[in-house]
Amino acid sequence: MGLRILGWGSALPEKVVTNHDLEKTLDTSDEWIRERSGIGERRIGESTAELAIAAGRAALERSGVEPASVDLMVLATTTPDQQVPASSAHVHYELGLGGGACDLNAACSGFVYALVMANGLLESGANRVLVVGAETLSRITDWSDRNTAVLFGDGGGALVLEREAGEGQLLGWDLGVDASAREILECDIGGFIRMDGREVFKRAVRVLVDSAKRTLAQAKVRPEDVKLLVPHQANIRIIQAACDRLGIPEERTALVLHRTGNTSSASIPLALVDAIEAGRLEDGDLVLMTGFGAGMTWGSALLRWQSPPSASGASA
Ligand code: COA
């Protein structure tokens, strides 16, 4: 048993904050931000649950799946709306889902963690799982700190997954955490993100590349056979360095960073959905998602793309 993807969706807040907007309050420049990070603008606003609901609803509609037939919804987020209850409870209620719901926090690797866990659940008997990555990092960003304020944004992305007989679309995965590096990127409850950017950068490239290689080796796939790399959208230079070391051309990456900034758990599904909707995937294509984040966590997942049956043909 394995997973197949039946639907996808994403959501971004309406409010756009450009680098030029940030120039007005911070000692920074559009040129610096673009050169050092690749970010041109980010979206800000709404709550984590609202973004998750919008992305989840779009994914459910696309899939044709009856919300009540979902067995579990996992919301990957580092920015829940409240400490208690989990934001996933709100999402579950608004979408009219069946089954259970829980939040998962593995920082920016969260969506890949959720996907891998969903796969395990489908293998062990669940029929349908909704995985969502949604964040409102703007709420934990110190807008007077130029080291972090230029990097982060809000958004959400979702996939509807169904149990499939056979190998399924997930061919390999790798999850990890190295908490000896937990102090290089952190945020206290009620506080703001603190980050040693250079150290995060250095380690990020290393863990992305190692995790991607382990995943490819597990599935016996060569880097040159990867059609689309969907990396965590943190910094274009991290992505370029990882592409270089993996031997995957940059043109084969899914990128939304320039218009979203770093949206943590939402970044990989936002980039994946963007690529799907741009028609960049054909049946049989290999898609490698790879992320890293605070903890430091990392996670990679290799998928074989398969277009889902039309929404009307999908089982309810
Ligand atoms: N505008 C202008 N100057 C800035 C700035 C900004 N927004 N932020 C930092 N600077 C300055 C620094 O103060 C430093 O000045 P100094 O040399 O006088 O001390 C200079 O620019 C260079 O800083 P440095 O940290 O070396 O820049 P960098 O090339 O490493 O880029 C980051 C900084 C943060 C963009 C980069 O390190 C990065 O992206 N790191 C990873 C962060 C990340 O991915 N976090 C999320 C993980 S999920």
Side-chain angles (χ1 to χ4, degrees):
M1 288 295 167
L3 70 78
R4 69 171 172 160
I5 297 171
L6 288 186
W8 50 85
S10 61
L12 288 169
E14 265 177 38
K15 183 176 176 189
V16 177
V17 176
T18 65
N19 293 344
H20 292 296
D21 292 329
L22 294 178
E23 281 175 352
K24 294 177 196 152
T25 52
L26 288 173
D27 180 14
T28 191
S29 66
D30 176 54
E31 194 190 358
W32 191 96
I33 302 168
R34 281 182 196 274
E35 256 179 30
R36 302 292 180 111
S37 73
I39 298 166
E41 60 186 40
R42 69 287 296 142
R43 301 290 192 99
I44 281 171
E46 303 188 37
S47 71
T48 292
E50 282 167 337
L51 292 166
I53 291 163
R57 183 169 285 131
L60 285 163
E61 282 173 5
R62 182 96 194 40
S63 71
V65 159
E66 181 59 43
S69 75
V70 170
D71 297 307
L72 180 71
M73 194 267 303
V74 186
L75 173 61
T77 188
T78 53
T79 48
D81 296 324
Q82 291 174 281
Q83 177 114 31
V84 176
S87 300
S88 50
H90 182 185
V91 179
H92 184 276
Y93 177 72
E94 291 294 335
L95 292 178
L97 300 175
C102 65
D103 287 11
L104 179 161
N105 180 352
C108 306
S109 315
F111 189 80
V112 177
Y113 269 70
L115 186 71
V116 172
M117 289 182 182
N119 186 63
L121 201 77
L122 292 164
E123 281 178 345
S124 68
N127 289 313
R128 295 186 189 100
V129 180
L130 173 64
V131 287
V132 184
E135 302 279 5
T136 43
L137 293 174
S138 61
R139 292 186 298 115
I140 60 166
T141 299
D142 176 354
W143 289 97
S144 65
D145 174 14
R146 70 175 183 173
N147 291 304
T148 52
V150 300
L151 299 177
F152 299 109
D154 303 338
L159 292 178
V160 175
L161 310 172
E162 187 172 60
R163 174 185 169 93
E164 174 175 73
E167 165 184 65
Q169 285 176 248
L170 184 72
L171 307 184
W173 55 268
D174 174 68
L175 302 177
V177 59
D178 173 9
S180 70
R182 64 189 181 280
E183 285 167 7
I184 62 174
L185 180 52
E186 54 184 358
C187 177
D188 298 325
I189 290 173
F192 293 125
I193 298 171
R194 293 189 301 272
M195 180 182 79
D196 177 347
R198 279 180 218 181
E199 193 58 28
V200 172
F201 191 111
K202 222 168 49 191
R203 287 173 181 262
V205 176
R206 204 182 311 145
V207 300
L208 272 188
V209 170
D210 290 350
S211 177
K213 282 186 175 165
R214 276 193 295 274
T215 305
L216 293 175
Q218 194 189 98
K220 299 193 172 54
V221 164
R222 297 171 310 169
E224 54 268 39
D225 296 327
V226 172
K227 176 71 189 302
L228 187 72
L229 178 70
V230 189
H232 171 44
Q233 315 277 306
N235 186 313
I236 191 67
R237 292 185 297 132
I238 294 177
I239 295 171
Q240 286 163 341
C243 280
D244 246 25
R245 293 187 198 181
L246 286 168
I248 297 177
E250 199 188 325
E251 310 80 74
R252 287 205 211 150
T253 54
L255 291 176
V256 291
L257 173 73
H258 51 289
R259 56 189 173 88
T260 63
N262 179 347
T263 56
S264 191
S265 301
S267 99
I268 286 181
L270 276 169
L272 176 68
V273 170
D274 186 73
I276 296 170
E277 291 187 342
R280 292 182 66 187
L281 291 176
E282 287 173 13
D283 288 356
D285 284 349
L286 295 172
V287 180
L288 177 61
M289 298 178 224
T290 183
F292 63 92
M296 271 190 94
T297 58
W298 59 86
S300 301
L302 182 72
L303 289 174
R304 189 187 304 282
W305 179 252
Q306 185 62 47
S307 329
S310 67
S312 56
S315 43

